[in-house]
Amino acid sequence: MSERLWYLKRCSLFERISADELARLEQVSRWRKFPRGSMIYFPENAADTAFVLATGRVKLCDLSVDGKESILAFIEPGEMFGELAVLDQSPQDEFATAVEASSVVAIPGDVLRRMIESMPSVSLGITKLIGMRRRRIERRLKSLLFRSNRQRLAHLLLDLVEQHGRPAADGVEIGVKLSHQDLAGVIGSTRESVTLLLGEFQNEGIVRLGRQKIVVLDDEPLRTEIGLPTKIKASSAEPVAEENKGDTPWRPRYPVARKRS
Amino acid sequence: MSERLWYLKRCSLFERISADELARLEQVSRWRKFPRGSMIYFPENAADTAFVLATGRVKLCDLSVDGKESILAFIEPGEMFGELAVLDQSPQDEFATAVEASSVVAIPGDVLRRMIESMPSVSLGITKLIGMRRRRIERRLKSLLFRSNRQRLAHLLLDLVEQHGRPAADGVEIGVKLSHQDLAGVIGSTRESVTLLLGEFQNEGIVRLGRQKIVVLDDEPLRTEIGLPTKIKASSAEPVAEENKGDTPWRPRYPVARKRS
DNA sequence: CGGCGTATGTGATGCCGCTCACATAGCCGC
DNA sequence: GCGGCTATGTGAGCGGCATCACATACGCCG
C-alpha cells in the first residue's frame, strides 16, 4: 500500500468508500510536500483543487490592505481544506501556509465533484465538514463581537486546547507552534497586547509559557472569563446573572469589567 | 396548487426535483406564520427541523452573557435556514426572530436527510448553500478583524445594498427595516456609535437617512473606506507577490513578513 | 563561537469607541 | 389627543488598546 493511500484512508471523508474507488482516487491525486513557511495555494492561484493534509500543520490566512494577517483556521492532519474552491468559482482571496513542514494530497476538483455526485456518503461527509467549519467560524465570530481582548484570548486558548491539545505533565499543551503574532492574527489584536495578556495569565497561574509553547494549567478561569452559557430572557431587562439552576456550576464573577492588579 | 407548494418551488434548492417528489415534500412539511418580533426557534428548542422562508424577513441572532445581541445573518424569502441543526446534533445556541411578519415552511429533519441521501441535486444544493454561507461569514469575520467602527459600518452597508438593495429615486434603498441597534449588533458596536457614524455619512452625502430606512446615494466612498481602490499589488515592501514557478515549493524566507512603513 | 534574525518583554503616549446620562421625535393603541 | 413606547440624536468622561520605540532572550547557521 502506498503512503499516499494510507493517508487518504485516514481522512474520515473517505473511510467508507470502496477499496477500488479509493485506489482510483489515489491514482488521480497528487502528492506534494511543503517546507515550513511555504505557501500551498495563493489567492490568484485558483487551482481547481482540494487538499487533504497528511502531515504537518497548515494555516488558512488572509492579508488585509495594511498588511495585517487574519488567520481563518488551522488545519491538522486528516483534515481537508480548500474544498470550497471546487464547489463554486467565487474569487478566493485567502491563502494557505504550512506552519510546519507538511505533506498534502491534492485532489483535482472534477474528481471530487464526481465523487460528490455519485457517492452519497462522500456527499454527506463534505456537507457535514463544511457545516462544521461554518459552525466553528460562527462561534468565533460571536467570540469576537462585543468582547475584550482578554476574553478573546481566553476563548482562543480554550479552542486551541480543544482542537490541538495534548496532555502534558502539569496541564494541557497546545500542540501547535504559535507565535504571539499568530495569536494576534486570530483574535484581531496586536502582538504586544497578546504578550501582555499571556503574561497576566501566567502570573495568575492559568498558563505556563515557553518559546512558542503554551501549557494551559487550569482552564476553569478561562471559562469563567468568557461567561458560561447562562439562559437570559429575551426582554431588554438587566441580566442579573444569578438563577443558575441546573448542571453548570460556575461562580458569577465580574462579567466584563476587568482590571489587572 | 397550494400556496405552500408555490413557495417551496421558489426555493432554488428544490427547483430541479420532480413534481411528485415536490408534492410529497409538500405533504410532510408544515406551514407556519409568525408575527413581527416573535421567535421562530429557540436555542433549547432543538427541533429537528429546517425552514424555508416564504414571506417576510428573519434574523438569526445570538445573545451574549451581558445581554448584547449578535446578529449572524438576515434571511430573505426563498432562503433556507436552520439547516445545520438537521445535519448534526451540536448544541445550537442561536435563535431566529421574525423581523417582519413572516411565514415559513418547516421541513422535518428526517425528510431533508432522506432527500440529501437520495437526490444528488438536493445534496449538492445544500452543500453549496452551506458553503456560500460559510464564505459570507468568513468574509464578515475578516471585515471585523483589525477594522475601525467606521470601516465595519461601511462594509455592512455595502453588504446590505448587495443583498437587500432596491432601487430608489436618488440611490439604492436598503430593503430591510433595521434600527441602529440592529446594525450595531451586526458589526459588534454600540447603538450610539452607529448613530454617530451614520450621521457622518449623511453629512458627507453618502447616505440619506429616514426612520429605519437608509438610502445609499453613493457607494464609492464606502468602497474607498474599506480599501478596495488601494490595489495592494507589489508596490510596497510586501514580499507576497513573489513568483512561484510551477510545482516546486519556493524557499521560505519568512512565512509572512509583516511590515508597516 | 559570534552574528543575525526572530520571539518575547515593557513602557509612554494618544485616540477610538464604550458607557452613562440625557433630549427629541415619530408611531401606536386607547 | 394623550400617554407610552421605540427610534434617534448629542455630549462628557475615560478606559482599553493600538502605536511607537525600545530592550532582551533564544535559535539557527556560517
Side-chain angles (χ1 to χ4, degrees):
Chain A
M1 180 192 291
S2 81
E3 203 179 7
R4 202 193 321 167
L5 184 57
W6 189 84
Y7 283 122
L8 279 176
K9 277 188 66 174
R10 247 181 77 178
C11 182
S12 63
L13 198 57
F14 305 122
E15 64 189 3
R16 288 177 51 195
I17 72 178
S18 67
D20 49 337
E21 282 287 0
L22 193 61
R24 213 174 71 84
L25 174 61
E26 188 231 354
Q27 284 183 351
V28 295
S29 65
R30 296 181 308 262
W31 174 266
R32 300 179 60 186
K33 287 176 176 297
F34 295 89
R36 170 190 166 98
S38 60
M39 307 282 245
I40 297 177
Y41 62 80
F42 297 84
E44 327 79 53
N45 174 16
D48 186 31
T49 308
F51 302 92
V52 172
L53 180 61
T55 64
R57 305 278 175 180
V58 167
K59 66 177 176 184
L60 307 181
C61 317
D62 176 274
L63 273 188
S64 63
V65 279
D66 52 348
K68 298 196 177 176
E69 175 183 287
S70 306
I71 298 182
L72 287 178
F74 291 106
I75 305 294
E76 52 185 340
E79 277 190 278
M80 172 174 281
F81 61 100
E83 76 281 352
L84 279 193
V86 313
L87 289 178
D88 50 22
Q89 280 68 14
S90 305
Q92 189 95 347
D93 55 350
E94 74 177 36
F95 58 91
T97 304
V99 181
E100 306 169 9
S102 303
S103 51
V104 304
V105 181
I107 303 174
D110 53 347
V111 172
L112 189 63
R113 275 190 296 272
R114 208 159 38 232
M115 289 179 66
I116 288 178
E117 284 170 8
S118 62
M119 290 184 274
S121 79
V122 172
S123 174
L124 195 60
I126 291 267
T127 304
K128 285 189 177 179
L129 173 74
I130 297 179
M132 186 197 56
R133 290 273 178 75
R134 195 181 107 190
R135 237 185 235 288
R136 199 186 288 172
I137 213 158
E138 283 180 352
R139 182 152 149 259
R140 233 184 91 197
L141 187 72
K142 293 182 302 190
S143 83
L144 292 177
L145 294 176
F146 303 115
R147 299 191 120 98
S148 69
N149 262 348
R150 192 181 155 100
Q151 290 174 311
R152 296 181 190 188
L153 186 58
H155 209 117
L156 172 58
L157 289 181
L158 289 175
D159 276 4
L160 287 174
V161 162
E162 183 185 329
Q163 289 179 38
H164 307 277
R166 58 174 67 150
D170 49 355
V172 184
E173 178 180 345
I174 291 172
V176 205
K177 296 273 183 231
L178 291 174
S179 69
H180 296 180
Q181 184 79 48
D182 287 329
L183 298 177
V186 180
I187 65 174
S189 178
T190 61
R191 204 263 317 157
E192 295 90 328
S193 297
V194 169
T195 298
L196 202 66
L197 290 169
L198 282 178
E200 284 184 24
F201 284 156
Q202 189 171 36
N203 290 339
E204 298 168 22
I206 299 176
V207 302
R208 185 167 51 79
L209 300 176
R211 189 181 177 77
Q212 304 215 53
K213 189 183 68 163
I214 300 176
V215 180
V216 175
L217 306 175
D218 182 15
D219 59 352
E220 209 45 42
L222 297 178
R223 294 185 137 63
T224 52
E225 185 80 38
I226 296 175
L228 290 191
T230 311
K231 305 304 178 192
I232 300 177
K233 298 288 173 56
S235 71
S236 63
E238 183 64 23
V240 223
E242 54 104 8
E243 159 63 35
N244 179 34
K245 67 206 180 283
D247 47 7
T248 51
W250 78 297
R251 301 174 289 272
R253 295 177 57 90
Y254 31 79
V256 176
R258 195 66 187 77
K259 197 82 180 76
R260 66 187 177 121
S261 48
Chain B
M1 181 193 291
S2 81
E3 204 181 6
R4 204 192 321 166
L5 183 59
W6 189 83
Y7 283 124
L8 279 176
K9 278 188 66 174
R10 248 181 76 178
C11 181
S12 64
L13 197 56
F14 306 121
E15 63 190 5
R16 288 176 51 195
I17 72 178
S18 67
D20 48 341
E21 282 285 1
L22 193 61
R24 211 174 72 83
L25 174 62
E26 188 232 353
Q27 284 182 350
V28 294
S29 64
R30 295 182 307 262
W31 174 268
R32 300 180 57 188
K33 287 177 175 297
F34 295 89
R36 171 189 168 102
S38 60
M39 307 279 248
I40 296 178
Y41 61 80
F42 297 85
E44 327 80 55
N45 175 17
D48 185 33
T49 308
F51 301 92
V52 172
L53 180 62
T55 63
R57 305 278 175 181
V58 168
K59 66 178 176 183
L60 307 182
C61 318
D62 175 274
L63 274 189
S64 63
V65 279
D66 51 347
K68 298 196 177 176
E69 175 182 285
S70 306
I71 297 182
L72 288 177
F74 291 104
I75 305 296
E76 51 186 338
E79 275 190 280
M80 172 174 281
F81 62 100
E83 76 283 351
L84 279 193
V86 313
L87 290 177
D88 49 22
Q89 279 66 17
S90 304
Q92 188 95 351
D93 56 350
E94 72 178 37
F95 58 92
T97 304
V99 181
E100 307 170 6
S102 302
S103 51
V104 305
V105 180
I107 304 174
D110 54 347
V111 173
L112 189 63
R113 276 190 295 272
R114 207 161 36 234
M115 289 179 67
I116 289 177
E117 285 170 9
S118 62
M119 291 184 270
S121 78
V122 172
S123 174
L124 195 61
I126 290 269
T127 304
K128 286 190 176 178
L129 173 73
I130 296 179
M132 183 198 58
R133 291 270 179 76
R134 194 181 111 191
R135 237 186 235 289
R136 200 185 288 171
I137 212 157
E138 283 179 352
R139 182 151 149 258
R140 232 183 92 194
L141 186 73
K142 294 182 304 192
S143 82
L144 292 178
L145 293 176
F146 304 115
R147 299 191 119 97
S148 69
N149 262 350
R150 192 181 154 98
Q151 290 173 311
R152 297 181 187 187
L153 186 58
H155 209 118
L156 173 59
L157 289 181
L158 288 175
D159 277 3
L160 288 175
V161 162
E162 184 184 329
Q163 289 178 36
H164 307 275
R166 60 175 65 151
D170 48 356
V172 183
E173 178 181 346
I174 290 171
V176 204
K177 296 272 181 230
L178 291 174
S179 69
H180 296 181
Q181 185 77 50
D182 287 330
L183 298 177
V186 180
I187 65 175
S189 179
T190 60
R191 203 262 318 157
E192 296 90 328
S193 297
V194 170
T195 298
L196 203 66
L197 289 169
L198 282 178
E200 283 183 28
F201 285 157
Q202 189 172 35
N203 289 339
E204 296 167 22
I206 300 175
V207 302
R208 184 167 52 79
L209 300 176
R211 188 181 176 77
Q212 303 213 55
K213 190 182 69 163
I214 300 176
V215 180
V216 176
L217 306 174
D218 182 14
D219 60 352
E220 208 47 41
L222 297 178
R223 295 188 134 68
T224 2
E225 188 77 39
I226 297 177
L228 286 183
T230 323
K231 286 305 175 192
I232 30 170
K233 287 310 160 195
S235 60
S236 72
E238 199 62 57
V240 173
E242 179 108 20
E243 270 304 322
N244 183 22
K245 63 276 179 208
D247 279 350
T248 352
W250 56 291
R251 188 204 175 280
R253 283 171 37 93
Y254 181 64
V256 170
R258 44 202 61 100
K259 192 81 199 75
R260 23 191 197 281
S261 47

